[in-house]
Amino acid sequence: MKLQQLRYIVEVANHDLNVSATAQALFTSQPGVSKQIRLLEDELGVEIFVRSGKHLTQVTQVGQQIIDMATQVLRQTSVIKQIADECSNEASGELTIATTHTQARYALPSIIQAFRNTYPEVALHMKQGTPGQIAELAASGAADFAIATEGMELFKDLVMMPCYEWNRSVVVPKDHPLANKAGMPNALTLQDIADYPIVTYVFGFTGRSRLDDAFQAVSLTPNVVFTATDTDVIKTYVRLGFGVGIIASMAYDESQDGDLVRIDASHLFASSVTHIGFRRGTFLRRYMLDLIESFAPHLDTRTVGQAQECSTAAEREVLFKGIELPVR
């Protein structure tokens, strides 16, 4: 049994049993992949794939168990390589972050800039997506870190840790009737907002569920006329007069959004918590630990290690229960 054979069966499964596509992705030949799979099946004495002529049609029951185990083995070999890399050069490598537009655009730039100054030889990659896509990217190993707020149930296979709390603001053009409530603490009401068309996030993005819960609690139905995943898009359509915008407060930039009036709405909605997480068993290199701590200073090396030792999300909740999170 060779690691190469295990890699072949995992990649074939990941490519919907298309051996040709697998060979192309692995820069090898189709006959070579087929031969190695056959050799592995002969050695194990079981069929991993069901065949119809020369085509693979499905994974056998025992084959799925073998593929799942092979996936774990390949991940562990990756960890071994990372450990060796850490010893040989702890300041170089790659780091991929999967997150939403709001985090990438507003929460991470200063963190990434400081990280680049400290680790110029680490190649950084940012992947944006829905909470479900972010969870899948991290769980599959396509991303090292997942940073998200919504859909924590999707991240149950990851070690997720709370980073900071944040809330929302309403943004309107300067000539909007609600603009006069700016600077007046707690003057804005949910009824005020519900009286106008609303432009905000797609459900499942950037704390949108907290917004919907607040309106439902007081039996109001918000007139959401336009949604987007990108805060800059939301602000653009507020400028066009589509309605009042509800955005993450950190997404209002005084230097760029001076034509809009921001009205604090934190008294109307429950705070949201942004988390950062990674796959169980991940070997965290020094630069990875440093990025976590720079993003959330309370997540130092010791605390992250304790989080890794927790076997359930409930145990991690207990670990972080007494920690006061920063507010952005």
Side-chain angles (χ1 to χ4, degrees):
M1 186 185 309
K2 302 175 182 178
L3 284 176
Q4 182 188 55
Q5 294 171 331
L6 299 183
R7 184 170 291 108
Y8 283 174
I9 63 171
V10 169
E11 288 300 320
V12 165
N14 290 340
H15 284 83
D16 298 323
L17 307 187
N18 188 322
V19 178
S20 179
T22 301
Q24 186 175 4
L26 295 175
F27 302 101
T28 187
S29 68
Q30 180 176 340
V33 172
S34 298
K35 178 182 178 181
Q36 290 301 319
I37 292 175
R38 276 295 192 189
L39 288 174
L40 178 60
E41 290 177 323
D42 290 344
E43 180 180 349
L44 297 177
V46 296
E47 285 193 339
I48 298 173
F49 300 103
V50 176
R51 294 168 174 79
S52 176
K54 294 183 178 181
H55 300 287
L56 305 182
T57 57
Q58 66 183 78
V59 180
T60 65
Q61 185 174 1
V62 68
Q64 188 59 59
Q65 294 177 336
I66 293 170
I67 289 170
D68 291 343
M69 184 62 69
T71 300
Q72 296 179 34
V73 170
L74 293 172
R75 285 179 180 171
Q76 289 304 310
T77 59
S78 177
V79 170
I80 292 172
K81 185 177 184 302
Q82 289 174 341
I83 293 173
D85 289 342
E86 178 76 5
C87 293
S88 61
N89 190 347
E90 63 181 18
S92 68
E94 293 192 15
L95 180 60
T96 300
I97 300 170
T99 190
T100 62
H101 166 83
T102 300
Q103 299 297 326
R105 170 68 176 83
Y106 297 101
L108 284 168
S110 61
I111 305 300
I112 296 299
Q113 185 175 39
F115 181 87
R116 284 288 299 159
N117 291 337
T118 304
Y119 295 102
E121 295 184 23
V122 175
L124 284 164
H125 311 284
M126 191 85 72
K127 297 185 178 183
Q128 294 172 226
T130 66
Q133 290 169 334
I134 293 167
E136 176 60 28
L137 286 166
S140 67
D144 299 296
F145 290 147
I147 299 177
T149 301
E150 291 279 1
M152 285 300 106
E153 69 279 359
L154 301 171
F155 299 84
K156 60 178 184 264
D157 294 330
L158 304 179
V159 178
M160 298 298 289
M161 303 173 292
C163 299
Y164 63 89
E165 292 184 8
W166 59 271
N167 216 304
R168 295 147 194 81
S169 290
V170 167
V171 290
V172 295
K174 290 183 176 181
D175 59 354
H176 193 279
L178 290 182
N180 60 10
K181 292 185 179 288
M184 300 171 59
N186 301 338
L188 187 70
T189 67
L190 288 173
Q191 184 64 62
D192 289 333
I193 301 172
D195 286 342
Y196 297 95
I198 295 172
V199 182
T200 191
Y201 300 106
V202 173
F203 187 83
F205 270 83
T206 317
R208 168 66 190 276
S209 61
R210 297 297 175 91
L211 184 154
D212 294 329
D213 290 345
F215 283 106
Q216 290 175 8
V218 293
S219 301
L220 286 175
T221 302
N223 180 22
V224 179
V225 298
F226 185 91
T227 63
T229 60
D230 185 322
T231 310
D232 293 328
V233 172
I234 292 172
K235 289 185 287 189
T236 294
Y237 283 87
V238 169
R239 291 184 175 100
L240 291 175
F242 275 46
V244 302
I246 304 178
I247 63 172
S249 294
M250 62 181 162
Y252 179 83
D253 187 329
E254 290 186 3
S255 64
Q256 297 184 15
D257 300 325
D259 58 327
L260 298 176
V261 175
R262 184 185 76 84
I263 310 166
D264 178 54
S266 60
H267 59 291
L268 301 178
F269 306 106
S271 295
S272 293
V273 177
T274 292
H275 293 71
I276 188 170
F278 48 84
R279 295 185 313 283
R280 298 178 187 277
T282 296
F283 174 73
L284 297 174
R285 300 184 64 180
R286 180 70 262 165
Y287 62 76
M288 298 170 76
L289 289 165
D290 284 351
L291 185 134
I292 293 174
E293 188 169 359
S294 64
F295 188 60
H298 59 282
L299 297 179
D300 55 22
T301 300
R302 178 174 174 272
T303 304
V304 173
Q306 291 175 329
Q308 286 181 295
E309 292 173 2
C310 294
S311 57
T312 65
E315 288 183 15
R316 283 193 298 278
E317 287 182 16
V318 173
L319 173 65
F320 293 110
K321 188 173 183 179
I323 295 180
E324 185 174 351
L325 298 178
V327 178
R328 293 187 183 178

Coordinates of all heavy atoms in Angstrom, one line a residue, residues 239-272:
R239 N -27.5 54.7 -1.6 CA -27.3 56.0 -2.3 C -28.2 56.2 -3.5 O -28.6 57.4 -3.8 CB -25.8 56.1 -2.8 CG -24.8 56.1 -1.7 CD -23.4 56.2 -2.3 NE -22.4 56.4 -1.2 CZ -21.6 55.5 -0.7 NH1 -21.7 54.2 -1.2 NH2 -20.8 55.7 0.3
L240 N -28.7 55.1 -4.1 CA -29.6 55.2 -5.2 C -31.0 55.4 -4.8 O -31.9 55.5 -5.6 CB -29.5 54.0 -6.1 CG -28.1 53.8 -6.9 CD1 -28.1 52.4 -7.6 CD2 -28.0 54.9 -7.9
G241 N -31.2 55.4 -3.5 CA -32.6 55.6 -3.0 C -33.5 54.4 -2.8 O -34.7 54.5 -2.7
F242 N -32.9 53.2 -2.8 CA -33.7 52.0 -2.7 C -34.3 51.9 -1.3 O -35.4 51.3 -1.2 CB -32.8 50.8 -3.0 CG -32.7 50.4 -4.5 CD1 -32.4 51.4 -5.4 CD2 -32.9 49.1 -4.9 CE1 -32.3 51.1 -6.7 CE2 -32.8 48.8 -6.2 CZ -32.5 49.8 -7.2
G243 N -33.7 52.4 -0.3 CA -34.2 52.3 1.0 C -33.1 52.6 2.1 O -32.0 53.0 1.7
V244 N -33.5 52.3 3.4 CA -32.5 52.5 4.4 C -31.6 51.3 4.5 O -32.1 50.1 4.3 CB -33.2 52.8 5.8 CG1 -34.1 54.0 5.7 CG2 -34.0 51.6 6.2
G245 N -30.3 51.5 4.8 CA -29.4 50.3 4.8 C -29.2 49.9 6.3 O -29.0 50.7 7.2
I246 N -29.1 48.6 6.5 CA -28.7 48.1 7.8 C -27.5 47.3 7.5 O -27.5 46.2 6.8 CB -29.8 47.2 8.4 CG1 -31.1 47.9 8.5 CG2 -29.4 46.7 9.8 CD1 -32.3 47.1 9.1
I247 N -26.4 47.7 8.1 CA -25.1 47.1 7.9 C -24.3 46.9 9.2 O -24.7 47.4 10.2 CB -24.2 48.0 7.0 CG1 -23.9 49.4 7.7 CG2 -24.9 48.3 5.6 CD1 -22.9 50.3 6.9
A248 N -23.2 46.2 9.1 CA -22.3 46.0 10.3 C -21.7 47.4 10.6 O -21.3 48.1 9.6 CB -21.3 45.0 10.0
S249 N -21.7 47.8 11.8 CA -21.2 49.2 12.1 C -19.8 49.4 11.7 O -19.4 50.5 11.2 CB -21.3 49.4 13.6 OG -22.7 49.5 14.1
M250 N -19.0 48.3 11.7 CA -17.6 48.4 11.3 C -17.4 48.7 9.8 O -16.4 49.1 9.3 CB -16.8 47.2 11.7 CG -17.3 45.9 11.1 SD -16.3 44.5 11.6 CE -17.4 43.1 11.1
A251 N -18.5 48.5 9.1 CA -18.5 48.6 7.6 C -18.7 50.1 7.2 O -18.7 50.4 6.0 CB -19.4 47.7 6.9
Y252 N -19.0 51.0 8.1 CA -19.1 52.4 7.8 C -17.8 53.1 7.9 O -17.1 53.1 9.0 CB -20.1 53.1 8.8 CG -20.3 54.5 8.5 CD1 -21.2 55.0 7.5 CD2 -19.6 55.5 9.2 CE1 -21.4 56.3 7.2 CE2 -19.8 56.8 8.9 CZ -20.7 57.2 7.9 OH -20.8 58.6 7.6
D253 N -17.4 53.6 6.8 CA -16.0 54.3 6.7 C -16.3 55.8 6.6 O -16.8 56.3 5.5 CB -15.3 53.8 5.5 CG -13.8 54.3 5.5 OD1 -13.6 55.4 5.9 OD2 -13.0 53.5 5.0
E254 N -15.9 56.6 7.6 CA -16.2 58.0 7.6 C -15.5 58.7 6.4 O -16.1 59.7 5.9 CB -15.7 58.6 8.9 CG -16.6 58.2 10.1 CD -16.2 59.0 11.3 OE1 -15.3 59.9 11.2 OE2 -16.8 58.8 12.4
S255 N -14.4 58.2 6.0 CA -13.6 58.9 4.9 C -14.3 58.6 3.6 O -14.2 59.5 2.7 CB -12.2 58.5 4.9 OG -12.1 57.1 4.7
Q256 N -14.9 57.5 3.4 CA -15.5 57.1 2.1 C -17.0 57.2 2.1 O -17.6 57.3 1.0 CB -15.1 55.7 1.8 CG -13.6 55.5 1.6 CD -13.2 54.1 1.1 OE1 -14.0 53.3 0.7 NE2 -11.9 53.8 1.2
D257 N -17.6 57.2 3.2 CA -19.1 57.2 3.3 C -19.7 58.5 3.9 O -20.7 58.5 4.5 CB -19.6 56.0 4.1 CG -19.1 54.7 3.6 OD1 -19.0 54.5 2.3 OD2 -18.8 53.7 4.4
G258 N -18.9 59.5 3.7 CA -19.4 60.8 4.3 C -20.7 61.3 3.7 O -21.3 62.2 4.3
D259 N -21.1 60.8 2.5 CA -22.3 61.3 1.9 C -23.5 60.5 2.6 O -24.7 60.9 2.3 CB -22.3 61.0 0.4 CG -22.1 59.5 0.1 OD1 -21.3 58.9 0.8 OD2 -22.6 59.1 -0.9
L260 N -23.2 59.6 3.4 CA -24.3 58.8 4.1 C -24.3 59.2 5.6 O -23.2 59.5 6.2 CB -24.1 57.3 4.0 CG -24.2 56.8 2.6 CD1 -23.9 55.3 2.6 CD2 -25.6 57.0 1.9
V261 N -25.4 59.1 6.2 CA -25.5 59.4 7.7 C -25.6 58.0 8.4 O -26.5 57.2 8.0 CB -26.7 60.3 8.0 CG1 -26.9 60.4 9.5 CG2 -26.6 61.6 7.4
R262 N -24.8 57.8 9.4 CA -24.8 56.6 10.2 C -25.6 56.8 11.5 O -25.3 57.7 12.2 CB -23.4 56.1 10.5 CG -23.4 54.7 11.2 CD -22.0 54.3 11.6 NE -21.6 55.0 12.8 CZ -21.9 54.7 14.1 NH1 -22.6 53.6 14.3 NH2 -21.4 55.4 15.1
I263 N -26.6 55.9 11.7 CA -27.4 56.0 12.9 C -27.1 54.7 13.7 O -27.4 53.6 13.2 CB -28.9 56.1 12.6 CG1 -29.1 57.3 11.6 CG2 -29.7 56.4 13.9 CD1 -30.5 57.3 11.0
D264 N -26.6 54.8 14.9 CA -26.4 53.6 15.7 C -27.7 52.8 16.0 O -28.7 53.4 16.4 CB -25.7 54.0 17.1 CG -25.5 52.8 18.0 OD1 -24.8 51.9 17.5 OD2 -26.0 52.8 19.1
A265 N -27.6 51.5 15.8 CA -28.8 50.7 16.0 C -28.5 49.5 17.0 O -29.2 48.5 17.0 CB -29.3 50.1 14.7
S266 N -27.4 49.7 17.7 CA -26.9 48.6 18.6 C -27.9 48.3 19.7 O -27.9 47.2 20.3 CB -25.6 48.9 19.2 OG -25.6 50.1 19.9
H267 N -28.8 49.3 20.1 CA -29.8 49.1 21.1 C -31.0 48.3 20.6 O -31.8 47.9 21.4 CB -30.2 50.4 21.7 CG -30.8 51.3 20.7 ND1 -30.1 51.9 19.7 CD2 -32.1 51.8 20.5 CE1 -30.9 52.7 18.9 NE2 -32.1 52.6 19.4
L268 N -31.1 48.1 19.3 CA -32.2 47.4 18.7 C -32.0 46.0 18.4 O -32.9 45.2 18.3 CB -32.6 48.1 17.4 CG -33.0 49.6 17.5 CD1 -33.3 50.2 16.1 CD2 -34.2 49.8 18.5
F269 N -30.7 45.6 18.3 CA -30.4 44.2 17.8 C -29.4 43.6 18.8 O -28.5 44.3 19.4 CB -29.8 44.2 16.4 CG -30.6 44.9 15.4 CD1 -30.3 46.2 14.9 CD2 -31.8 44.3 14.9 CE1 -31.1 46.8 14.0 CE2 -32.6 44.9 14.0 CZ -32.2 46.2 13.5
A270 N -29.5 42.3 19.0 CA -28.6 41.5 19.8 C -27.2 41.5 19.1 O -27.2 41.5 17.9 CB -29.1 40.1 20.1
S271 N -26.2 41.6 19.9 CA -24.8 41.6 19.3 C -24.6 40.3 18.6 O -25.1 39.2 19.0 CB -23.8 41.8 20.4 OG -23.9 43.1 20.9
S272 N -23.7 40.3 17.6 CA -23.3 39.1 17.0 C -21.8 38.8 17.3 O -21.1 39.7 17.7 CB -23.4 39.2 15.4 OG -24.7 39.3 15.1

